[in-house]
Each structure stands twice: as C-alpha cells, then as structure tokens.
C-alpha cells in the first residue's frame, strides 16, 4: 500500500587482496518495482598459487635433523589457493660436523723392547668425514726391571725372615754356606728382572755328580708352595745359578733405542770359573745329605 515505506536493501562484497577492480551489481529490479536481494559474491584472482621458499640448512650437522621452508598463498589466505598446502618441513641428515672421538693410549704391550699400544677411536655420528685416526702404534717398553737381574732368598717367615740377595752367577753349596744361607730353612724366593732366570738344584754341585731335582724360576715371587709346584724342595736347596737371558735389540727407528750390553757377572771370591766349582776343592752335597 502507499502508506508502507519502501524497504532499503544493501549488498556486501568481499574483495580479495590484489584483485583487479571489479564491481558487483545487483540484478535489475523486476517490473513490479520490488528489489530482490541475491547471495553474497566474492571476487577472486585468476592466478592464485603457492609461493615456496628455499629449504633451510639441516638443524643437525651431525646426524638426523629437520629442514624448513616458507610456504604462502599469494592470495593472502590459504583457502584462496588451490589444492593442499605444500609441505613446509622435512627430515634431513648431515655429517659435516661429525668428529672422531679418540681415547687415551694403553700401556705398551711389551715391558722391554718393541711392542704395541692401542686406543679407542669412535665416530660420534653415523658417518665422519676425513681420515680415521690410527687406533694402534708401535712403542718401546722401558720398565725399570728391563736391565735388572737379582735374586733374594728368604728364610723363616715368607718374605719376612732372614734374607740374602745375589747377583748373576753360579753359587755352590760352599758359597751359600759361607754367605750364611741356611739351605734347610728357605721359605721363599724372589727373582727380579725381565731377562733374568734362576735355577735351583738339590745338590751343592749343581747336580753334576748326583742326579736330583732342579727348578727354573723366571721373574716373580715364589712361596714354598709355589716352589713345590715347580719341583723344588725349600728345605733342600743346596746350589743355584742366576743368569741373564738374551735381551732383544730395538731397531734404530724406535727413538734410537738399542739393547745395552749385559754387564759381566759379579766376581765371587769362591768361584774359580764358570763351572761353579768351589776353590776349596769340596763338592758339597745336599742339605739332606749334610743332615744325615
């Protein structure tokens, strides 16, 4: 009716950024003069797409990490671009900063002469660049016992009673008796020297005229039980000899170290020569014979 006011209608248009200028007009009014309100329409650009940046460096320089990149829709909001959004991260591996972890050297495998020492070498990552450090090298052992050769005999308590020490040489029964060694009271023996060997005999003439037991002892400490296992009787050691064994030479490329000449055997006032026979002209028997 003529008394009713004419309604006012409005239309909103959402314009995307960077869109070309466009005008959205409502449809023309019908012939009866009434306006019809239509649906809201959006303006879209025709070249919407994803803008993808460069991948970053791997977050880890020694092992597994991640890479990222920038991904944006050129229309402003992601729903303006077609298809699913392109991935902006991915896993990665890098070994540029992986290093070898090196442990300490072990002691030389040889106490005297040429040996080998080793160390642990581990790559901290899955892969290490560059040459792998050596895990072994040659060495020359120089223990303080390399040039020593001596023998100590204890009586009474093991390693705690009376004692007598000897240098390399041959010691018959008479010589031991003169030195004060009680052959029937030996409780323990110690041989010092990497290249040193002692041999103990049942008889005072090194078993030359009387077959008997003998036992060889390398470097170490020997109780009465240890000596028995080697075939020796501690209450019947009547003579012994102490000798240096051959010491291996060290080549010149190992710090110019060479084997030193063996010192001469200490002179004994009772010894007439290498045979070990007493200058008194007496062939001593074993302790067991003396006691008998």
């Amino acid at each position: 009716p003529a008394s009713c006011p004419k309604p006012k209608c409005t239309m909103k248009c959402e314009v995307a950024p960077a869109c070309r200028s466009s005008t959205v007009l409502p449809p023309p009014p019908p012939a009866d003069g009434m306006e019809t309100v239509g649906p809201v329409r959006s303006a879209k650009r025709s070249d919407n797409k994803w803008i993808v940046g460069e991948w970053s460096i791997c977050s880890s320089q020694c092992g597994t990490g991640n890479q990222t990149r920038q991904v944006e829709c050129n229309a402003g909001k992601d729903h303006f671009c077609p298809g699913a959004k392109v991935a902006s991260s991915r896993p990665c591996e890098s070994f540029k900063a992986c290093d070898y972890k090196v442990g300490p050297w072990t002691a030389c495998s040889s106490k005297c002469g040429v040996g080998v020492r080793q160390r642990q070498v581990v790559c901290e990552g899955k892969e290490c660049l560059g040459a792998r450090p050596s895990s072994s090298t040659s060495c020359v052992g120089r223990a303080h016992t390399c040039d020593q050769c001596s023998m100590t005999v204890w009586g009474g308590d093991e390693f705690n009673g009376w004692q007598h020490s000897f240098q390399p040489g041959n010691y018959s029964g008479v010589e031991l008796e003169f030195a004060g060694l009680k052959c029937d009271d030996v409780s323990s023996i110690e041989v010092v020297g990497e290249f040193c060997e002692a041999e103990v005999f049942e008889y005072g003439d090194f078993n030359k005229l009387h077959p008997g037991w003998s036992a060889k002892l390398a470097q170490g400490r020997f109780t009465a039980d240890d000596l028995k296992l080697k075939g020796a009787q501690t209450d019947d050691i009547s003579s012994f000899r102490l000798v240096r064994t051959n010491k291996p030479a060290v080549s010149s490329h190992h710090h110019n170290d060479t084997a030193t000449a063996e010192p001469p055997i200490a002179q004994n006032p009772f010894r007439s020569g290498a045979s070990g026979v007493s200058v008194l002209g007496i062939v001593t028997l074993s302790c067991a014979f003396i006691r008998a």
Side-chain angles (χ1 to χ4, degrees):
S3 61
C4 290
K6 183 177 180 180
K8 295 182 179 180
C9 296
T10 61
M11 176 178 288
K12 294 182 179 180
C13 177
E14 182 178 353
V15 179
C19 283
R20 295 189 299 271
S21 177
S22 62
T23 302
V24 180
L25 300 176
D32 58 6
M34 298 296 292
E35 296 182 4
T36 303
V37 178
V40 176
R41 298 181 182 180
S42 299
K44 297 181 180 179
R45 59 185 294 170
S46 61
D47 60 345
N48 293 356
K49 62 181 179 180
W50 296 105
I51 304 299
V52 180
E54 297 292 332
W55 286 111
S56 67
I57 63 173
C58 192
S59 61
S60 172
Q61 294 299 292
C62 181
T64 302
N66 288 287
Q67 284 179 297
T68 59
R69 64 181 177 181
Q70 189 174 12
V71 178
E72 294 180 343
C73 177
N74 68 345
K77 294 184 178 180
D78 291 350
H79 65 269
F80 287 144
C81 283
K85 187 174 182 178
V86 181
S88 60
S89 67
R90 68 179 181 183
C92 58
E93 280 187 326
S94 178
F95 308 105
K96 294 180 179 179
C98 291
D99 293 323
Y100 288 99
K101 186 177 181 180
V102 180
W105 288 109
T106 62
C108 191
S109 62
S110 174
K111 290 184 178 180
C112 306
V114 179
V116 176
R117 58 178 182 169
Q118 298 178 327
R119 65 181 177 181
Q120 190 176 30
V121 179
V122 179
C123 177
E124 293 183 318
K126 181 179 178 181
E127 179 182 346
C128 287
L129 303 177
R132 182 184 180 90
S134 174
S135 59
S136 64
T137 185
S138 62
C139 58
V140 178
R142 300 182 182 86
H144 68 279
T145 54
C146 293
D147 297 319
Q148 294 182 351
C149 186
S150 64
M151 175 177 171
T152 301
V153 180
W154 279 272
D157 296 334
E158 290 182 349
F159 307 110
N160 197 34
W162 58 261
Q163 68 180 65
H164 292 281
S165 297
F166 301 88
Q167 296 300 311
N170 298 321
Y171 298 88
S172 67
V174 171
E175 294 166 330
L176 297 181
E177 184 178 358
F178 179 82
L181 190 148
K182 303 173 184 179
C183 62
D184 59 348
D185 192 28
V186 175
S187 64
S188 49
I189 294 175
E190 180 179 21
V191 179
V192 177
E194 296 291 336
F195 303 99
C196 191
E197 183 180 76
E199 186 173 9
V200 295
F201 300 89
E202 180 179 1
Y203 290 99
D205 62 349
F206 312 102
N207 295 352
K208 288 183 177 180
L209 300 179
H210 306 277
W213 57 257
S214 65
K216 290 185 177 181
L217 309 174
Q219 177 174 246
R221 292 164 67 92
F222 304 90
T223 64
D225 291 337
D226 296 331
L227 294 169
K228 287 180 180 179
L229 291 176
K230 290 182 173 294
Q233 299 296 324
T234 56
D235 61 351
D236 199 16
I237 296 177
S238 301
S239 60
F240 66 83
R241 63 168 52 100
L242 184 65
V243 298
R244 294 180 184 271
T245 57
N246 293 330
K247 181 179 179 181
V250 180
S251 61
S252 58
H253 70 273
H254 288 96
H255 307 291
N256 296 321
D257 290 329
T258 57
T260 58
E262 299 294 345
I265 293 177
Q267 295 298 318
N268 189 300
F270 289 92
R271 187 177 300 110
S272 59
S275 63
V277 178
S278 169
V279 297
L280 299 180
I282 302 174
V283 177
T284 57
L285 301 180
S286 71
C287 286
F289 273 80
I290 294 174
R291 287 195 300 272

